[in-house]
């Protein structure tokens, strides 16, 4: 699912008042995304999903804040992505810390 911090920040801030939010964006290169889509969407919907994904890639590049941490998952298995995400989230500590994975 694609989302931007700017579109979600108001309700997150309401839900967790005074939180120090650290955005983390998970990305992958186009060949990895294409392989994942065609592995997951084995019917004719894969082509449409790939087109939407390519559009979203441009939106992601333009929408992330300067302090967004980016984790490239292109060559990672799900367990590796989980490990990297956990490590990034652990950097955000304290009473008001909140990691937001986009």
């Amino acid at each position: 699912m694609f989302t931007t911090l700017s579109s979600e920040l108001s309700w997150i801030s309401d839900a967790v008042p005074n939180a120090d939010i650290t955005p983390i964006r998970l990305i992958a290169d186009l060949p990895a995304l294409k392989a994942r889509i065609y592995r997951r969407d084995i019917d004719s919907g894969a082509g449409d999903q790939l087109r939407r994904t390519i559009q979203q890639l441009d939106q992601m590049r333009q929408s992330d804040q300067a302090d967004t941490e980016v984790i490239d998952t292109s060559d990672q298995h799900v367990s590796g992505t989980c490990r990297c995400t956990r490590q990034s989230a652990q950097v955000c500590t304290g009473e008001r810390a909140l990691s937001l994975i986009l």
Side-chain angles (χ1 to χ4, degrees):
M1 181 182 91
F2 166 63
T3 186
T4 62
L5 182 59
S6 61
S7 66
E8 305 296 328
L9 191 56
S10 65
W11 76 263
I12 294 169
S13 295
D14 289 344
V16 189
N18 302 314
D20 293 326
I21 298 173
T22 301
I24 301 170
R25 168 78 65 196
L26 303 180
I27 63 165
D29 61 25
L30 191 54
L33 290 171
K34 184 175 181 179
R36 292 172 187 172
I37 288 168
Y38 279 93
R39 188 171 51 239
R40 183 191 69 211
D41 295 324
I42 54 178
D43 65 3
S44 60
D48 290 335
Q49 180 59 54
L50 182 59
R51 280 188 286 284
R52 286 191 300 274
T53 298
I54 291 169
Q55 291 173 343
Q56 290 172 349
L57 286 173
D58 289 334
Q59 292 172 329
M60 282 183 215
R61 289 185 192 109
Q62 296 171 18
S63 69
D64 283 341
Q65 299 177 181
D67 64 341
T68 299
E69 181 171 350
V70 177
I71 299 174
D72 188 346
T73 67
S74 299
D75 296 322
Q76 292 185 20
H77 186 270
V78 173
S79 61
T81 299
C82 290
R83 194 169 24 264
C84 286
T85 305
R86 257 195 330 270
Q87 289 170 352
S88 294
Q90 287 174 355
V91 171
C92 315
T93 59
E95 187 176 303
R96 297 176 18 193
L98 173 65
S99 297
L100 179 61
I101 300 171
L102 304 171

